[in-house]
């Protein structure tokens, strides 16, 4: 299996998708640096020390929300566009036909590919996470609790195996292009569901309408849990559940990137189980697939 | 009793569109070279893909040195060159071979030690350090052969191994296959190049519409009966029925065609009473008898020659008049 993981890493390091991701990341971090500096340099509106403390925290929270909003896009771009053609694309080009006749069980091949993409994405997520937090910390106040950061990072990185699993499963059924479209639309639907939740949570709406909307967005989150995991991660990082009602970020520049409904811990357990089930399903489909 | 290298029993793969192959039964001994022929869409590649574990059979079974096809143990015995394939463009030729070696369970050092020999053997030499994206189709085909040989497998499945090669490349591949055969490898060769099959294979089978139409030893198929030609001067048409009746052999006037033409003989200045007669004759005694009859009748016998039947003719004769699902369907 190590040979398959190694091959996947070589593929990732040599294909253009990584180069594009790195360029996007560098560009994003430069822009983020200037935004952070601008926000950090703004004068405090309150004079009392406690209010200033809250304001500093709000600045840091706004920066982290903004940073991870775009950071998650970059991470998803890398994961989806590096793995969407892993099975069907290689079968279409004929790469798979010579590899699968080698004496390695198919499940090992599938898991090797999965691990290759997932480990690479998790490592990239670590680089992104540290970069965003460090830049935000230089210009504003961010939480310093290392345990909170470990938990937040693990949640940020959890989106990688979820996306890889969905992408590989899709690749066992759809053509390379079809799976690329499928994954982009699925990710887009998840993001849209999250946005609807964020917007509606800060609006006065008919409870019946809200209930229907939450049902729809909840269903989307069950299929594509990435955005919900992201919200949970930010809530944990910023300690928003502990500060419920104490902090109003509606006037902040990141109001549009707010958190909306914060998923429970059970949802994270669901996301992990959901990923494992899809991984097992993908492995079975790959095992039975004719090439 | 020795175990057959490839033992196929009623192997069937049925697709909803009616394609695939049905009830294929073949046993191939160790060290044998087996040619698998058939028109486009006959189901040849489907059968090979089942044998190498890429496709699951609908019915029947097959074993490679006793191990069921598709199992890891069976795949340890094989090297496979697919018909339509590409290798990872982002890797170098050496890295592709190394990857195949590692997948075969070879240590990195062991794979590295074999790579230069394999590159030389398939004619890639120093180009092994180049990325595959810079390879021509022919070079990729050579790389495919090197990958198939990386674990020194006892069985080789080769699907159109020289289809993308120029004439020099084809000769190289043919020479390599002959060497491999001499080394005792069992070769299962799918090829449209009938001359290649004829040169290398001991036995052949012809698949049409998914079923085995004919099979046998190459020398039996090609030389069981030999066509003989007689160039005669002083011929009159009335003599032919007499010759047929007396010899009991269905001699007939020969009409030169592209496949049979001996350019030198047929381009010789013809005269009105000089003709070619031909017949399928089982043994040389019959040839001697006919020549005696011809000479005794006062005709001049210029030439007597056996005409070797080519596999192409055998193939055309076998499939002529039969419907076959071609690529146009």
């Amino acid at each position: 299996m190590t040979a398959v993981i190694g091959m996947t890493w070589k593929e990732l390091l040599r294909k253009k998708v990584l180069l594009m991701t790195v360029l996007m990341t560098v560009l994003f971090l430069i822009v983020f640096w200037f935004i952070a500096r601008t926000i950090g340099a703004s004068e405090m509106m309150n004079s009392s020390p406690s209010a200033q403390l809250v304001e500093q925290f709000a600045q840091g929270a706004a920066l982290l929300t903004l940073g991870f909003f775009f950071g998650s896009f970059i991470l998803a771009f890398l994961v989806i566009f590096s793995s969407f053609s892993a099975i069907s694309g290689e079968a279409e080009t004929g790469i798979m036909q010579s590899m699968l006749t080698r004496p390695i069980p198919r499940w090992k091949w599938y898991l090797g590919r999965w691990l290759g993409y997932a480990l690479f994405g998790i490592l990239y997520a670590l680089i992104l996470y540290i970069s965003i937090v460090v830049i935000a910390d230089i210009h504003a106040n961010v939480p310093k609790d290392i345990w909170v950061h470990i938990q937040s990072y693990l949640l940020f990185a959890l989106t990688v195996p979820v996306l890889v699993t969905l992408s590989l499963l899709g690749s066992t059924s759809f053509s390379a292009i079809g799976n690329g479209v499928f994954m982009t639309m699925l990710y887009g639907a998840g993001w849209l569901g999250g946005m609807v939740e964020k917007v509606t949570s800060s609006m006065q709406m008919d409870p019946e309408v809200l209930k229907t909307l939450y049902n729809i967005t909840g269903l989307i989150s069950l299929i594509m849990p990435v955005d919900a995991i992201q919200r949970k991660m930010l809530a944990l990082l910023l300690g928003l559940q502990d500060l419920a009602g104490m902090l109003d970020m509606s006037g902040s520049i990141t109001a549009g990137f707010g958190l909306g409904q914060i998923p429970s811990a059970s949802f994270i357990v669901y996301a992990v189980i959901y990923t494992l089930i899809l991984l097992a399903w993908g492995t079975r489909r790959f095992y039975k697939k004719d090439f | 009793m020795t175990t057959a290298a490839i033992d196929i029993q009623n192997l069937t793969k049925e697709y909803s569109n009616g394609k695939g192959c049905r009830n294929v039964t073949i046993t191939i001994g160790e060290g044998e070279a087996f040619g698998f022929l058939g028109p486009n869409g006959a189901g040849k590649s489907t059968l090979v893909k089942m044998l190498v574990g890429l496709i699951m059979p609908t019915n029947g079974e097959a074993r490679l040195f006793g191990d069921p096809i598709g199992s890891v143990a069976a795949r340890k015995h094989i090297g496979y060159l697919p018909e339509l394939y590409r290798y990872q463009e982002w890797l170098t030729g050496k890295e592709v071979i190394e990857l195949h070696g590692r997948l075969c369970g070879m240590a990195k050092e062991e794979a590295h030690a074999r790579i230069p020999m394999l590159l030389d053997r398939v004619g890639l030499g120093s180009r092994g350090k180049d990325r595959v994206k810079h390879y021509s189709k022919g070079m990729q085909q050579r790389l495919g052969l090197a990958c198939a040989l990386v674990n020194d497998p006892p069985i080789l499945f080769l699907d159109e191994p020289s289809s993308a090669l120029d004439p020099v490349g084809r000769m190289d591949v043919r020479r390599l296959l002959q060497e491999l055969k001499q080394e005792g490898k069992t070769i299962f060769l799918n090829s449209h190049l009938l001359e290649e099959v004829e040169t290398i294979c001991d036995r052949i089978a012809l698949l049409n519409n998914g079923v085995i139409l004919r099979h046998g030893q190459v020398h039996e198929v090609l030389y069981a009966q030999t066509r003989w030609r007689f160039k005669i001067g002083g011929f009159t048409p009335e003599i032919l029925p007499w010759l047929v009746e007396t010899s009991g052999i269905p001699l007939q006037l020969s009409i030169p065609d592209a496949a049979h033409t001996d350019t030198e003989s047929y381009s010789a200045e013809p005269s009105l009473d000089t003709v070619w007669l031909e017949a399928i004759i089982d043994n040389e005694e019959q040839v001697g008898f006919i020549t005696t009859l011809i000479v005794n009748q006062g005709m001049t016998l210029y030439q007597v020659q056996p005409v070797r039947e080519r596999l192409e003719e055998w193939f055309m004769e076998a499939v002529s008049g039969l419907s076959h699902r071609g690529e146009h369907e």
Side-chain angles (χ1 to χ4, degrees), chain A residues 17-37:
Chain A
V17 66
L18 180 66
L19 182 68
M20 285 174 69
T21 310
V22 169
L23 286 174
M24 275 168 57
T25 307
V26 170
L27 194 68
F28 157 69
L29 290 175
I30 290 169
V31 172
F32 184 60
W33 170 275
F34 285 109
I35 290 171
R37 195 173 69 171

Side-chain angles (χ1 to χ4, degrees), chain A residues 110-111 114 118 158-166 169 222-223 225-226 229 267-283:
Chain A
Y110 192 84
L111 279 188
W114 186 89
L158 177 61
T159 59
V160 174
V162 174
L163 287 172
V164 173
T165 306
L166 278 164
L169 175 63
L222 288 177
I223 299 166
V226 167
I229 295 170
F267 183 83
I268 302 304
V269 175
Y270 159 79
V272 172
I273 294 170
Y274 174 71
T275 303
L276 290 174
I277 290 171
L278 293 191
L279 178 62
W281 186 18
T283 310

Side-chain angles (χ1 to χ4, degrees), chain A residues 14 100 102 287 290-291, chain B residues 13 56 75 90 95 147:
Chain A
R14 292 182 186 178
L100 285 186
R102 294 307 181 186
Y287 181 78
D290 281 347
F291 288 94
Chain B
K13 179 69 183 183
M56 310 255 180
R75 281 184 273 153
W90 53 91
E95 286 171 335
C147 290

Side-chain angles (χ1 to χ4, degrees), chain A residues 31-47:
Chain A
V31 172
F32 184 60
W33 170 275
F34 285 109
I35 290 171
R37 195 173 69 171
T38 308
I39 292 175
S42 61
E43 282 184 20
M44 296 289 163
M45 288 185 288
N46 295 293
S47 53

